Amino acid sequence: MKARQEDRKIQTSLSTLSPGNAGSNGILLGVGIIFVAAALRAPFTSVGPLLEMIRDDLGLSNTLAGAITTLPLLAFALLSPFAPQLARRFGLANVLMLALLALSMGILIRSASGTLTLFAGTAIIGLSIAVCNVLLPGLIKGRFPGRIGLLTGIYTVSMNLCAAVASGISVPIADQAGFGWRGTLALWFIVAALATLFWIPQMKSLGQGSGTSTPGSAGKMWRSPLAWQVTLFMGLQSLLYYVLIAWFSVILGERGMSSSHAGWILSLLQLAQLPFTFFVPLWAGKLKNQRGLVVITAVLFMAGISGVWFGSSAWMPVWAICIGIAGGFAFGLAMMFFSLRTRSTQEASELSGMAQSIGYLLAAMGPALFGLLHDATHSWNGPLALLVAASVLLLVAGLGAGSNRYVGDATEPAK
């Protein structure tokens, strides 16, 4: 009862400043969320295209170079379960501000000197992004209760669009503009700094939080079958995405496709998902349950992966688009489930922390497992069969996650 009353206080402090009541404050918060979302992927995705340059400049082994991209995912998995507890104790606005300041510092530290600062800055970036990843869905639920789908769509599009842009412009900026890998990675400090500046006005309007911890909610999540279904859906879609991003071009290259053509196909895959990361949350928020959207997601994943497995190179753009659309559906649904399957801001943050912790742990292991299976079998058949199996499991978990229920209540409908 005490936990429920405490969460109502937090919910009230957020909802009383809804866009309809807060006017310019609500708009300013919406813009702030867009900038925060933009800063959550670009510092991570900008590294991949520069990895060879970083490796050669610092004399890193391939193992250490690969750890640069794995470390943030492990940081996501490590800190995500604890972010809601930090928000309850110190205030959601305070914790988000500290995370944004740490993100800005981490970006500068990563580009400052040599190997030590590279990994230290990368770790700080990963931990900072983990906090923002977990708390933003709960903030959207509490602050925009009538526009969850719209704000989630805007948030996910901003995040994924900046991720795609960062991947595409990193090499030209480093090579042609002469910034080098350090200068290119440091440029994303500007986005993080803008996000921090837009967050300053929210420190007063969102309040300082309760300053107390309300035990029991996190334990309830880890014991809830529905929470585990949402978690598995989040984890499997993360695994599929990061495996395909890591290995798709390699698979196409071994089939005789040039590296430039394979890169174009990979860009097509990422661009195909963008419209659906916006529209799917809007669509999902209007439905009584989201099982139909889950079925579409799984079928598109299975069709696209099977096409890559058995199809000809001429049809690769079609299969890439199928996978990209499926990824847009899956990510949009995963973000919405945090709000749709919970009753309160606190529960949304707890579910987000649980799901993202397990999800990014699977994502960190996925590319390595995929490559290990390929090395063991000397074929792509086994690895691609694993992805088809993951798509089937995604369907099973998603049918549960998309049901019309709340976490902790197996019978009461969510609407």
Side-chain angles (χ1 to χ4, degrees):
M1 179 64 71
K2 183 179 178 181
R4 180 74 62 186
Q5 290 173 346
E6 194 64 54
D7 191 72
R8 283 200 192 103
K9 292 179 184 177
I10 299 171
Q11 186 80 13
T12 300
S13 68
L14 292 171
S15 62
T16 52
L17 284 170
S18 63
N21 297 326
S24 60
N25 285 336
I27 295 173
L28 197 61
L29 176 57
V31 174
I33 289 173
I34 292 172
F35 273 102
V36 172
L40 295 187
R41 286 293 179 273
F44 175 62
T45 60
S46 58
V47 173
L50 300 173
L51 201 56
E52 185 176 355
M53 192 182 302
I54 295 170
R55 181 197 64 190
D56 294 343
D57 183 42
L58 296 179
L60 302 177
S61 65
N62 285 325
T63 302
L64 276 178
I68 298 172
T69 57
T70 303
L71 185 58
L73 296 175
L74 294 175
F76 296 168
L78 175 66
L79 191 58
S80 291
F82 303 104
Q85 300 173 35
L86 294 173
R88 288 199 307 272
R89 184 171 180 82
F90 301 108
L92 184 145
N94 292 334
V95 174
L96 278 171
M97 173 58 79
L98 288 173
L100 289 171
L101 289 171
L103 175 62
S104 302
M105 277 198 326
I107 291 171
L108 293 179
I109 291 171
R110 181 176 63 178
S111 304
S113 181
T115 303
L116 181 61
T117 56
L118 172 67
F119 281 95
T122 298
I124 294 171
I125 289 169
L127 294 171
S128 305
I129 292 175
V131 172
C132 297
N133 274 343
V134 170
L135 297 184
L136 276 180
L139 172 65
I140 290 172
K141 181 178 178 66
R143 186 64 167 77
F144 300 91
R147 300 181 182 179
I148 292 174
L150 175 63
L151 264 295
T152 301
I154 292 172
Y155 156 65
T156 55
V157 166
S158 176
M159 187 161 49
N160 287 290
L161 179 60
C162 283
V165 170
S167 297
I169 68 174
S170 289
V171 172
I173 290 176
D175 280 343
Q176 298 169 19
F179 277 70
W181 68 265
R182 288 185 176 87
T184 302
L185 294 182
L187 282 176
W188 296 106
F189 169 81
I190 298 172
V191 178
L194 284 173
T196 306
L197 287 174
F198 271 97
W199 201 253
I200 292 174
Q202 313 312 324
M203 300 297 292
K204 182 177 180 181
S205 66
L206 290 178
Q208 302 305 309
S210 65
T212 61
S213 178
T214 42
S217 178
K220 179 178 69 175
M221 289 296 160
W222 290 87
R223 294 190 301 268
S224 167
L226 178 56
W228 274 105
Q229 288 167 334
V230 172
T231 296
L232 288 175
F233 185 87
M234 174 67 191
L236 289 166
Q237 70 88 23
S238 296
L239 182 144
L240 286 164
Y241 175 78
Y242 283 101
V243 166
L244 288 164
I245 289 298
W247 290 102
F248 192 69
S249 296
V250 178
I251 295 172
L252 298 185
E254 290 194 11
R255 299 229 175 136
M257 191 175 290
S258 68
S259 58
S260 61
H261 193 188
W264 178 82
I265 298 293
L266 180 60
S267 297
L268 181 64
L269 184 154
Q270 296 183 76
L271 290 173
Q273 75 177 1
L274 285 178
F276 298 93
T277 58
F278 177 75
F279 289 113
V280 168
L282 288 174
W283 192 1
K286 295 178 181 179
L287 296 175
K288 187 176 181 180
N289 67 69
Q290 293 73 40
R291 288 181 168 182
L293 299 181
V294 169
V295 172
I296 294 172
T297 303
V299 168
L300 285 170
F301 264 132
M302 286 185 275
I305 294 167
S306 298
V308 173
W309 190 356
F310 299 110
S312 67
S313 297
W315 284 84
M316 283 302 164
V318 175
W319 309 130
I321 290 173
C322 286
I323 294 171
I325 294 173
F329 266 73
F331 188 76
L333 283 171
M335 294 297 103
M336 282 298 289
F337 285 155
F338 303 149
S339 296
L340 294 177
R341 300 286 83 88
T342 55
R343 291 185 176 88
S344 66
T345 302
Q346 177 180 320
E347 288 183 349
S349 295
E350 297 285 3
L351 180 57
S352 175
M354 173 182 171
Q356 296 198 55
S357 174
I358 300 297
Y360 286 115
L361 185 60
L362 284 174
M365 296 189 309
L369 178 61
F370 193 85
L372 182 64
L373 188 57
H374 173 260
D375 289 343
T377 62
H378 303 288
S379 169
W380 293 113
N381 292 333
L384 289 171
L386 181 66
L387 294 189
V388 173
S391 302
V392 174
L393 291 176
L394 182 81
L395 173 62
V396 175
L399 289 175
S403 61
N404 192 19
R405 294 177 294 153
Y406 284 123
V407 167
D409 190 341
T411 57
E412 182 179 347
K415 294 184 181 179

